[in-house]
């Protein structure tokens, strides 16, 4: 039996993880839950999964949860509380599904504590890839991707030699605004940008899909996860999101992982790896779908994709700043304080201003992140909307 | 270094195998070549690959080859000669690429002699699957598929547990006549049926693609190769032949192997397995292809596909008769002594007449094959064209 802590249990990935665990009570047991502010949901989760430890965003929220449950569960809060969930002695697997850069520290602590990681938080590897990968090696834990694209690649390379990989090909749906030309973007409302054509996901990642920033972060994440130079990672537009990603080998053979868009599949694969378990998910019927479409990535239409290759190759704290700027600007966009179409320009501005540390340590990464956020915020405030 | 004998070295698969060997002189060495009647080609092959043994179809042809080469090579002929090539002590790998049922006996002898087999001859498993698979197990040799579909499935299941497979999905291009309705088939010429939309292959297999008999044989071959019941093997029409086949696992994930249509890829995979080697082949560009199409298998349009499930489930010598009838009728069609569209009716007639042996031994299989050929020939002679 795998004993699991979930960081971000009330978010979209957290809920799907609990659905997977619900299907396999004989395989998986919940040890800890790291939640944010959703008291009603965490109370339901405590009732159903009977965890040993729960962490909330604040002391007040923790008190409220404590007063409303009869279960014998430790309730804690804040950054320390989250780390306690991530490192609990009874857990052997941690699902890192927090939003953004906030997932970095608890993930690092979980690795240090020798836990295997199911990584849904792509910002962790984007911001501190070399530190994470060194730690993973040093602690000999498993770092298993939960993103559908990286899980697809990971599934495609099972039984293969790493040296036989020629390149990996990430697929991108193009997001909610793919039908629009660049000059049409200024008229786009937040609501439109939140309508992802294929996947039902959280708001932040849906906006990231509309700007192609999601794929940009995945590019950098793939570079770290699979130890490949950026020249060996391509991105292709694939409207239907049925082929989740592909690997081309040195003999020209391409292995792809396909399926209906359902995050439960990559989540469960990380939990059941190296085997699989049955799962109640809609079966793929290519007969019903009929056609799959593919298009070259358009770097003019999606400038952050071009920028992702640049910051990835530039290394240092460039990727950290790239991600930090995006987090701030998407947050403002979700509050309707910045139009969606200005996110790209804001990220470009932050990268132009950025003073990178070469081979940064964790402290320098945290500093670069903080500065980039400040620069992004100031830039956004100066824009006349 | 792998030391290889090729049965059928002057055919389409044989020539592609030699191309693969030519690219990797440090990895592969030709030991034996089993050819038919193509003297000019075998003389070129002897000159270039310097084999130890060569077998021709007849004594006269063997004499002619002997008189025209200066190489120190044993030249033999006939069924015994072919078995000598298949079992030569210096070979450790035999590529079985002869046409039709004729490939069965030398393949059996190669397995008995402890050689690993690269199997391009699908009739071998269709006619005598249980005997072959038992022998493979007993002699502990590797039986590696060379058909692009079975190679795709074999590649897709690497690193997976057999018990995690839910079903396999063979893709079928639909062949040269896929754009025609059943009632339009009588007007089809041999030339039209020989124009495969995607693959450049031998004449027999191209006709088999037009009737869907090729996929029917592959269905039965897959049943044996992957130890799956027919209810777990589906066939889907996929016009572009880019996805070479797929495997669906119990969690709903589907792994597919894709590529440009080039037999060198599955041939080399069998030779290099479990690793891969570089190969000069056209790289897949889904961007250029743009669209992939999928359609449900149409069992009305392609009645031999329905028949394949029936004879597969009926077992005994039904699959042997199914294949034997087809070989005779395609041969007549290639001589323009039977119209293409009548092949299906002839096969159905043979199956209806067939007296099956339950759990047949090799002798009974040879007998069933001979009877089915006779019935098919007689049926064809009675048709007024």
């Amino acid at each position: 039996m795998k004993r699991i802590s979930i960081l971000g249990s009330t978010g979209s990935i957290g809920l799907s993880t609990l659905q997977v665990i619900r299907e396999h009570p004989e395989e998986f047991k919940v040890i800890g839950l790291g939640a944010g502010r959703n008291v009603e949901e965490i109370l339901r989760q405590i009732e159903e999964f009977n965890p040993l430890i729960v962490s909330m965003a604040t002391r007040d929220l923790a008190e409220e949860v404590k007063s409303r449950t009869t279960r014998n569960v430790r309730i804690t809060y804040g950054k320390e509380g989250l780390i306690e969930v991530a490192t609990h002695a009874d857990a052997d697997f941690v699902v890192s599904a927090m939003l953004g850069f906030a997932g970095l520290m608890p993930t690092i602590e979980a690795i240090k504590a020798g836990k295997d990681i199911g990584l849904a938080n792509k910002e962790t590897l984007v911001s501190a890839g070399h530190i994470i990968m060194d730690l993973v090696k040093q602690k000999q834990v498993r770092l298993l991707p939960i993103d559908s694209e990286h899980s697809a690649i990971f599934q495609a390379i099972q039984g293969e030699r790493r040296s036989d990989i020629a390149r990996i090909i990430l697929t991108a749906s193009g997001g909610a605004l793919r039908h629009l030309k660049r000059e049409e973007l200024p008229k786009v409302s937040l609501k439109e940008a939140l309508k992802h054509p294929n996947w039902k996901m959280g708001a932040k990642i849906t906006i990231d899909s509309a700007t192609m920033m999601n794929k940009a972060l995945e590019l950098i994440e793939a570079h770290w996860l699979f130890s490949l130079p950026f020249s060996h990672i391509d991105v292709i537009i694939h409207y239907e999101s049925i082929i989740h990603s592909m690997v081309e080998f040195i003999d020209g053979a391409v292995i792809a992982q396909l399926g209906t868009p359902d995050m439960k599949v990559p989540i469960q694969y990380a939990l059941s790896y190296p085997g699989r378990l049955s799962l109640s998910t809609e079966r793929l019927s290519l007969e019903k779908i009929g056609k799959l479409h593919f298009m070259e990535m358009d770097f003019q239409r999606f400038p952050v994709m071009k920028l992702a290759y640049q910051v990835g190759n530039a290394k240092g704290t460039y990727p950290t700043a790239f991600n930090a700027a995006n987090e701030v600007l998407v947050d403002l966009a979700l509050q309707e304080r910045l139009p969606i179409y200005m996110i790209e320009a804001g990220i470009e501005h932050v990268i132009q201003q950025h003073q990178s540390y070469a081979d940064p340590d964790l402290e320098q990464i945290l500093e670069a992140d903080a500065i980039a956020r400040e620069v992004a915020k100031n830039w956004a405030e100066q824009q006349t909307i």
Side-chain angles (χ1 to χ4, degrees), chain A:
Chain A
M1 175 167 298
K2 214 162 264 183
R3 301 160 72 84
I4 299 165
S5 281
I6 305 171
L7 309 179
S9 72
T10 57
S12 169
I13 296 291
L15 293 172
S16 294
T17 305
L18 289 169
Q19 276 190 57
V20 166
I21 293 173
R22 187 178 289 126
E23 277 200 37
H24 302 285
E26 67 300 335
E27 301 282 345
F28 307 125
K29 164 94 185 88
V30 174
I31 299 298
L33 298 172
R37 310 183 159 273
N38 192 337
V39 172
E40 301 308 321
E41 178 56 31
I42 198 72
L43 284 167
R44 269 193 296 275
Q45 293 181 2
I46 291 171
E47 203 48 45
E48 181 177 358
F49 295 99
N50 201 17
L52 301 179
I53 182 166
V54 164
S55 179
M56 300 299 291
T58 67
R59 185 175 184 160
D60 286 355
L61 290 162
E63 292 297 339
E64 186 184 345
V65 172
K66 209 175 289 186
S67 70
R68 292 179 57 191
T69 182
T70 55
R71 293 279 193 180
N72 182 20
V73 49
R74 170 161 164 75
I75 316 246
T76 176
Y77 61 92
K79 287 181 182 179
E80 292 72 23
L82 208 54
I83 289 173
E84 212 181 312
V85 171
T87 60
H88 194 285
D90 284 11
D92 40 39
F93 194 99
V94 173
V95 174
S96 173
M98 310 239 340
L99 221 56
F101 190 75
L104 177 61
M105 290 311 297
T107 305
I108 286 180
E109 293 303 321
I111 298 170
K112 282 188 180 166
K115 314 297 185 197
D116 288 332
I117 308 290
L119 189 68
N121 175 294
K122 59 195 79 177
E123 294 83 355
T124 295
L125 278 180
V126 171
S127 302
H130 64 294
I131 291 172
I132 298 286
M133 296 313 289
D134 280 356
L135 261 180
V136 163
K137 210 174 165 183
Q138 188 188 316
K139 293 287 174 182
Q140 295 192 289
V141 301
R142 277 183 175 156
L143 182 67
L144 300 163
I146 279 186
D147 242 345
S148 70
E149 290 79 359
H150 302 88
S151 178
I153 292 161
F154 187 61
Q155 291 176 51
I157 63 176
Q158 292 306 311
E160 302 281 352
R161 302 184 300 200
R162 293 299 170 109
S163 57
D164 288 344
I165 299 173
R167 62 174 178 136
I168 62 182
I169 305 149
L170 296 168
T171 54
S173 71
L177 310 178
R178 65 193 187 188
H179 56 290
L180 299 178
K181 292 182 184 138
R182 273 203 77 70
E183 54 269 30
E184 294 174 297
L185 294 178
K187 66 174 189 196
V188 168
S189 71
L190 176 61
K191 209 175 152 192
E192 284 173 80
L194 283 171
K195 280 186 196 152
H196 194 281
N198 305 324
W199 292 91
K200 206 175 159 294
M201 304 182 292
K204 195 253 176 187
I205 192 174
T206 305
I207 298 299
D208 284 350
S209 293
T211 59
M212 200 56 79
M213 188 66 187
N214 185 46
K215 212 54 50 181
L217 297 174
E218 286 175 10
L219 171 78
I220 301 172
E221 190 185 4
H223 159 77
W224 289 113
L225 271 175
F226 304 110
S227 305
L228 287 172
F230 288 95
S231 57
H232 288 47
I233 312 173
D234 291 326
V235 181
I236 183 173
I237 293 184
H238 165 41
Y239 271 12
E240 294 84 6
S241 301
I242 292 297
I243 295 189
H244 296 149
S245 279
M246 294 171 262
V247 179
E248 182 184 297
F249 294 92
I250 53 172
D251 58 358
V254 173
I255 303 285
Q257 192 260 8
L258 297 75
T260 52
D262 182 347
M263 284 307 298
K264 293 205 300 297
V265 178
I267 291 168
Q268 179 174 292
Y269 188 71
L271 295 182
S272 68
Y273 178 83
R276 297 181 186 269
L277 293 169
S278 64
L279 182 67
S280 54
T281 177
E282 195 193 332
R283 258 49 192 170
L284 178 64
S285 167
L286 286 173
E287 293 94 327
K288 273 189 201 155
I289 293 164
K291 281 181 210 169
L292 298 181
H293 295 79
F294 304 91
M295 274 181 357
E296 219 173 330
M297 173 52 59
D298 183 341
F299 292 101
Q300 304 300 318
R301 172 64 182 77
F302 298 108
V304 299
M305 201 63 236
K306 194 175 171 185
L307 205 51
Y309 280 98
Q310 289 167 349
V311 301
N313 280 314
K315 297 184 194 167
T317 48
Y318 278 111
T320 312
F322 183 59
N323 173 65
N326 182 60
E327 284 195 29
V328 167
L329 299 167
V330 171
D331 194 38
L332 292 171
L334 287 173
Q335 298 171 47
E336 298 195 73
R337 289 166 59 197
L338 186 77
I340 300 290
Y341 82 97
M342 293 186 76
I343 293 172
E344 297 159 336
I347 297 171
E348 273 176 33
H349 171 81
V350 170
I351 292 301
Q352 274 161 17
Q353 301 293 312
H354 186 64
Q355 308 275 331
S356 174
Y357 285 106
D359 197 21
D361 59 23
L362 195 52
E363 209 173 312
Q364 291 167 327
I365 286 169
L366 296 174
E367 188 194 314
D369 177 81
I371 293 172
R373 282 171 199 270
E374 199 56 33
V375 175
K377 203 181 290 175
N378 290 341
W379 177 87
E381 274 165 16
Q382 285 159 27
Q383 308 308 309
T384 33
I385 304 174

